[in-house]
Amino acid sequence: MATSQGTLLDQLNEPQRVAATHGRGPLLILAGAGSGKTRTITYRIAYLIEQGLCPADRILAVTFTNKAAEEMRKRVAEIAGAPRKPPLICTFHSLGVRLLRRHAELLGYGRDFTICDSDDQRRILKRVYKNLGLIESEIPVRRAASVISRAKNDAWPPEEYEARSRDRDAPVLAKIYRDYQDYLRISNATDFDDLILLTLRLLSEHAEIGERYGNWYQQILIDEYQDTNRPQYELIQALTAFHQNLCAVGDEDQSIYGFRGADIDNILRFEQDFPGTSVIRLEQNYRSTQVILDGAGAVVSNNVQRKGKTLWTADKGGSQIEIFTAADPRDEAEYVGQRIVRYLGEGHRHFAILYRTNFQSREFEEILNREQIRYRIIGGVGFYARKEIRDVLAYIRLARNTSDNVSLLRIINTPTRGIGAKTVQTLQGWSEESEGRIWDSLVRALGDAAFPGRAHRALQRFREIIDRCRSYLERPLPILIEQVLEATDYLEALRREGSEESENRILNLQELVNVAREAEQADIDLQEFLDQISLRSDADDYDEAAPVTLMTLHNAKGLEFPVVFIVGCEEGLFPHSRAILEDDLEEERRLCYVGMTRAEKRLHLSHSKRRRLYGSGPSESNLPSQFLMEIPPDLTTELTSPRVQRYSGPGFPQPHVPFQKPKRQFPGKTYDTKDSVRQFLDSIPAQEKSAGKIVRGATVVHAEFGPGKVLHVEKTGKDLKVTVRFPGIGIKKMLQSYAKMRPV
DNA sequence: TTCAGAAGGATTTTT
DNA sequence: TCCTTCTGAA
């Protein structure tokens, strides 16, 4: 074999090698950022296979994201060759799906169960609220969702919730939780948390299954152990009970998923849980310069809750950390844009722009577009979250699993086919007789001719569509999707609409067919395809092709970039106001540490003096993040935007564009259709216009526009009111121009 | 039943 | 500001 043991291990330093070649028994690898922890366990897997210490398919490795799993699979195959029966490398959730697809009946679920994401969850909760006669203002759906998730992560079943919770609204929440869970059960569906909990139940309640898998997996490796939560921890316990060969890798300073129930104690108590554990520390960093490490270390050392360690690197010195004070987010984006342009000139090729919340990406996108720099954005509204994609997938899900009420309600009248709210409600009422399965009640109602002619025909049509979809299920993936689009009239409805938006949707659907084609070529069947989509995070789409990557700090975990910009370092944003309120600064600080240690060579931190949070009102004046103060000044270079001066004085900011009011005439023209009004708006140069509502039935006689943006067009009485905003002028000074109109 | 227009709520972070 | 949901008219 080309990769002899010698060359394989030459890639590692001493402690890494000790870890990779560790034989039997529990092993805890405490590693710092950039110390090659993933690399170490990758080599360990290859080593176990090569040395014949464990059959490849009896190795289980759990990673944090699907992307990481994919990468690790590839690396292992490169080093150890691709064994006929490869090791199982996946996330906790996909491990759960894998086991549940085989044994779901034991838990009272069908094997075709649907996986609900947070959007489905929201829909279910809204239904539950309606049935219970609750209104959202009392308990926001978001809150209910997080309460339920928390309860599940604490392993509290619905019936115990009320007794255990100390929440003021516990009685109501308990009902919501119960009905929500019933609804999932009826729909033969699970949420993300269930995937872990049900697997756990499967292994513990069915001893023979637990034994089978516990026996099978001789070596288990877990990456990012600090981010495991309680149920995941128990799952590990169940699987390792027999062989006790668990290798966990983690860094307590990188625990950033507390909000999801990640329990830092899991790593702190490892040695107690697994007597005889060997502990190996990896403290040498191979990624960043000493300056970056010292800066990040100084920040995180303000945390009380840590064992403490000092990272070191052979790469001494390094450039100073640059801290930039911007006047506003636009200014901040300009700074980042200019720096990137300069770095590109110097030959740098990879950059990351990291922020705390997804909405911050906008300004940076604009600048990058202007500079014609390609970028990739991770998170936000992902491809698979789009309405049209979800709709089509819902058809397929329903065809596979007719119990799936969530999918059914989603598409029963999409595209509109004359099945209104009333009809749906009636159907739901009748579904009690079929354990809540709406599809069954629909079929029954058709048999009994229970609806009047029109509704009956509409329902009949819907039923035929689903039946037709079902007959396509066995066909190749791309063909299946095309035929579903055909059978459901989905594309046709979009084409009829003929708007720019619907054009886009059509393109997205074509893209879905392409994705399906690729999946088919990779020999992925329908079930796997759907599962992969359900479990996919947008971070999994990460691709190294574009020079600039924009993402949240959370998404950046495990990645590295030569140049990193952390933007929006302001009190209230990062650390987030919510974290300040809930006194959870330590996790935010770890997040800062994670972000800073992504940088190999250069690190830039920036903050804006002003930032407007959700639109209205004058922008807030922001203090720089406390984390910035925690970096020793001798490691930093501080820069201030020249624009800060102008804004820092008292009083309202002065407009930097001199005010003028050129006039433009639109005499006597009739705008009586949506399209003609749209045309009218289109005749205004694009840069002057950011938004416009379209009014029908108007004759615009006259309008005035300045060099500002058209914000709003509305009909008041017989007037068409056009609101224009000029740059640099506050909302109060917003100008309004009028166009008179008369009825057509 | 459907659509347009109006009102109201929302922003952490993810599998 | 933007997006979702609600409401009333056709």
Side-chain angles (χ1 to χ4, degrees), chain A residues 443-455:
Chain A
V443 172
R444 209 158 355 100
L446 284 175
D448 301 347
F451 283 98
R454 220 168 98 156

Side-chain angles (χ1 to χ4, degrees), chain A residues 403-418:
Chain A
S403 307
D404 187 349
N405 287 347
V406 189
S407 296
L408 184 143
L409 292 173
R410 180 180 185 96
I411 41 92
I412 190 166
N413 200 28
T414 310
T416 50
R417 55 173 71 87

Side-chain angles (χ1 to χ4, degrees), chain A residues 126-372:
Chain A
K126 293 206 162 177
R127 297 255 144 217
V128 168
Y129 274 46
K130 207 169 235 172
N131 291 342
L132 288 173
L134 292 170
I135 47 171
E136 282 184 45
S137 53
E138 286 171 43
I139 297 173
V141 167
R142 292 180 71 76
R143 173 153 172 251
S146 80
V147 163
I148 291 171
S149 178
R150 173 62 51 97
K152 288 186 173 184
N153 285 328
D154 287 338
W156 296 353
E159 54 274 14
E160 289 173 26
Y161 178 80
E162 190 174 344
R164 294 199 181 206
S165 169
R166 277 183 299 170
D167 198 303
R168 197 163 36 88
D169 299 315
V172 193
L173 287 167
K175 276 187 212 150
I176 297 172
Y177 181 12
R178 184 198 59 206
D179 285 9
Y180 167 79
Q181 203 56 35
D182 285 349
Y183 201 98
L184 280 178
R185 170 67 75 107
I186 289 161
S187 303
N188 191 25
T190 71
D191 61 18
F192 286 138
D193 296 317
D194 284 342
L195 290 176
I196 310 292
L197 292 175
L198 290 172
T199 310
L200 197 53
R201 255 182 61 199
L202 178 73
L203 298 180
S204 57
E205 287 176 13
H206 299 271
E208 72 292 352
I209 307 270
E211 250 167 63
R212 183 161 132 204
Y213 289 104
N215 246 320
W216 181 257
Y217 290 112
Q218 293 181 355
Q219 290 281 354
I220 296 180
L221 304 94
I222 318 273
D223 200 2
E224 311 282 10
Y225 194 70
Q226 75 281 355
D227 286 320
T228 52
N229 61 22
R230 180 90 209 174
Q232 290 169 339
Y233 168 84
E234 286 176 17
L235 189 55
I236 296 165
Q237 293 275 338
L239 284 171
T240 53
F242 194 81
H243 292 290
Q244 294 277 313
N245 288 323
L246 172 64
C247 166
V249 197
D251 176 359
E252 91 243 56
D253 289 332
Q254 294 194 60
S255 169
I256 52 174
Y257 284 92
F259 67 90
R260 201 176 74 182
D263 190 352
I264 205 166
D265 283 340
N266 287 346
I267 201 163
L268 299 176
R269 307 189 282 253
F270 189 94
E271 292 168 71
Q272 268 167 270
D273 290 339
F274 298 92
T277 295
S278 312
V279 180
I280 293 172
R281 289 171 188 278
L282 305 178
E283 293 193 323
Q284 183 178 359
N285 174 295
Y286 292 93
R287 182 186 295 148
S288 316
T289 64
Q290 193 66 46
V291 168
I292 291 170
L293 284 184
D294 288 347
V299 172
V300 81
S301 69
N302 288 289
N303 276 358
V304 180
Q305 239 191 60
R306 71 190 284 259
K307 285 183 168 175
K309 62 173 166 300
T310 310
L311 293 179
W312 61 278
T313 172
D315 194 357
K316 294 294 170 205
S319 306
Q320 301 280 93
I321 298 169
E322 199 167 280
I323 297 182
F324 183 77
T325 303
D328 53 46
R330 180 85 201 168
D331 196 26
E332 191 178 17
E334 288 287 353
Y335 158 75
V336 173
Q338 279 172 23
R339 279 285 181 275
I340 290 178
V341 168
R342 201 170 83 187
Y343 281 133
L344 281 168
E346 292 170 7
H348 285 90
R349 283 293 165 267
H350 293 288
F351 310 88
I353 301 174
L354 309 179
Y355 35 78
R356 179 66 232 270
T357 59
N358 275 309
F359 79 89
Q360 288 168 260
S361 65
R362 189 97 165 260
E363 278 87 5
F364 299 96
E365 288 184 75
E366 276 172 27
I367 299 286
L368 291 169
N369 277 328
R370 192 191 64 197
E371 298 294 332
Q372 303 197 327

Side-chain angles (χ1 to χ4, degrees), chain A residues 5-60:
Chain A
Q5 184 194 346
T7 51
L8 191 158
L9 295 174
D10 279 348
Q11 306 285 319
L12 306 176
N13 71 9
E14 188 52 30
Q16 289 175 338
R17 188 174 314 147
V18 174
T21 59
H22 176 83
R24 302 194 155 269
L27 171 65
L28 175 64
I29 305 173
L30 291 174
S35 61
K37 41 181 186 294
T38 307
R39 178 190 179 92
T40 304
I41 60 170
T42 307
Y43 270 89
R44 176 165 174 73
I45 297 169
Y47 175 82
L48 292 169
I49 298 172
E50 270 211 334
Q51 294 292 305
L53 294 172
C54 176
D57 60 337
R58 297 178 79 165
I59 298 174
L60 166 65

Side-chain angles (χ1 to χ4, degrees), chain A residues 66-80:
Chain A
N66 289 305
K67 182 74 187 177
E70 195 184 303
E71 210 101 293
M72 193 178 285
R73 276 194 290 269
K74 235 181 351 196
R75 289 288 296 143
V76 168
E78 272 169 30
I79 306 168

Side-chain angles (χ1 to χ4, degrees), chain A residues 476-661:
Chain A
L477 271 176
I479 297 179
L480 163 67
I481 291 171
E482 275 169 354
Q483 289 183 323
V484 167
L485 287 172
E486 179 75 37
T488 56
D489 264 344
Y490 204 94
L491 277 185
E492 203 36 52
L494 284 177
R495 281 202 202 98
R496 263 197 308 270
E497 207 181 301
S499 67
E500 201 176 317
E501 198 189 346
S502 61
E503 291 291 314
N504 266 328
R505 292 188 192 280
I506 292 172
L507 289 177
N508 284 330
L509 289 168
Q510 277 162 3
E511 180 58 24
L512 181 68
V513 175
N514 290 338
V515 173
R517 193 165 294 128
E518 279 168 32
E520 189 206 8
Q521 274 152 17
D523 241 352
I524 289 171
D525 68 16
L526 175 59
Q527 181 74 263
E528 275 177 274
F529 181 68
L530 293 175
D531 283 348
Q532 277 182 16
I533 289 173
S534 304
L535 296 178
R536 160 173 270 135
S537 73
D538 294 310
D540 296 337
D541 291 331
Y542 175 75
D543 171 359
E544 317 236 338
V548 182
T549 307
L550 292 93
M551 66 187 136
T552 63
L553 287 150
H554 282 87
N555 268 319
K557 190 166 75 157
L559 304 175
E560 58 187 21
F561 299 88
V563 183
V564 168
F565 298 86
I566 301 179
V567 300
C569 298
E570 295 142 40
E571 282 297 295
L573 190 58
F574 185 39
H576 196 272
S577 51
R578 200 89 162 224
I580 299 174
L581 258 146
E582 284 163 21
D583 208 19
D584 204 6
L585 275 178
E586 299 222 336
E587 182 151 315
E588 295 283 304
R589 198 177 273 115
R590 288 192 293 269
L591 192 55
C592 186
Y593 173 82
V594 168
M596 292 174 77
T597 53
R598 295 312 94 195
E600 294 169 1
K601 299 287 174 215
R602 302 247 181 187
L603 176 58
H604 298 255
L605 305 170
S606 58
H607 66 103
S608 296
K609 282 277 201 195
R610 292 170 174 280
R611 182 179 305 271
R612 225 166 22 158
L613 294 174
Y614 4 80
S616 67
S619 42
E620 304 277 331
S621 181
N622 280 324
L623 291 171
S625 168
Q626 54 186 296
F627 302 149
L628 293 177
M629 324 289 182
E630 293 171 1
I631 304 171
D634 58 308
L635 299 178
T636 64
T637 305
E638 294 189 27
L639 298 174
T640 302
S641 163
R643 290 191 50 209
V644 169
Q645 277 307 316
R646 209 180 315 190
Y647 281 109
S648 61
F652 202 81
Q654 295 301 304
H656 49 273
V657 177
F659 175 69
Q660 323 162 353
K661 199 179 160 195

